[in-house]
Amino acid sequence: YRCLSDALVFVVVFMFGSAPWGMLGGMSGGLGGVTVTTPSGETTRYGMVTGTMKAGTVLTNEASGGGGWGNPLDRPPARVLEDVRKGYVSLRGAREDYGVVIDADSLEIDWDGTVELREKRRVGALSEQAPVD
């Protein structure tokens, strides 16, 4: 929203303090918030905004993202690639969240890199679990 004149605003975003949880090993969702960009270009993110905003201020209301379902390392790499090509997932997200290595130039899966990265992540996750008596 762009304030065309000085305006009194009140914006509340749900789930700005804690992310929606994932299920069955899924990652937490993204936090909601409001980004306020002043006419001078200064940007600040809040969970709630109330008060007078100067003309030219831009408010960006960001909804919380839902939590994931299932371990992202179990998602078939071809499906992750499809999500990247459609713009749903970034190359960075494919690597960091799903353990899928995709060549930025060809937009093809690096299968050896993907297998290696996923194995490292799975071994790392196992070593972080508390021992069972």
Side-chain angles (χ1 to χ4, degrees):
Y1 304 97
R2 180 180 305 276
C3 298
L4 299 178
S5 63
D6 291 355
L8 179 62
V9 299
F10 179 76
V11 181
V12 177
V13 177
F14 295 99
M15 300 301 289
F16 69 87
S18 61
W21 59 87
M23 300 291 294
L24 300 174
M27 296 170 55
S28 296
L31 293 174
V34 179
T35 300
V36 177
T37 305
T38 65
S40 65
E42 182 181 328
T43 300
T44 309
R45 186 173 161 84
Y46 301 97
M48 167 174 124
V49 174
T50 182
T52 303
M53 300 289 149
K54 297 280 186 195
T57 299
V58 176
L59 298 134
T60 305
N61 187 0
E62 302 162 12
S64 301
W69 181 271
N71 186 335
L73 298 177
D74 292 336
R75 184 160 175 79
R79 298 289 303 271
V80 176
L81 176 62
E82 183 179 330
D83 290 342
V84 168
R85 288 179 172 167
K86 289 180 177 179
Y88 301 150
V89 175
S90 66
L91 288 171
R92 181 178 175 187
R95 176 185 285 272
E96 292 181 7
D97 297 336
Y98 296 94
V100 177
V101 181
I102 298 174
D103 180 85
D105 294 324
S106 67
L107 285 185
E108 295 295 333
I109 297 170
D110 173 351
W111 288 100
D112 292 337
T114 295
V115 168
E116 182 180 341
L117 180 58
R118 284 184 164 195
E119 285 176 1
K120 284 182 184 177
R121 295 264 175 90
R122 289 183 197 281
V123 169
L126 290 175
S127 66
E128 293 173 9
Q129 293 179 357
V132 178
D133 290 334

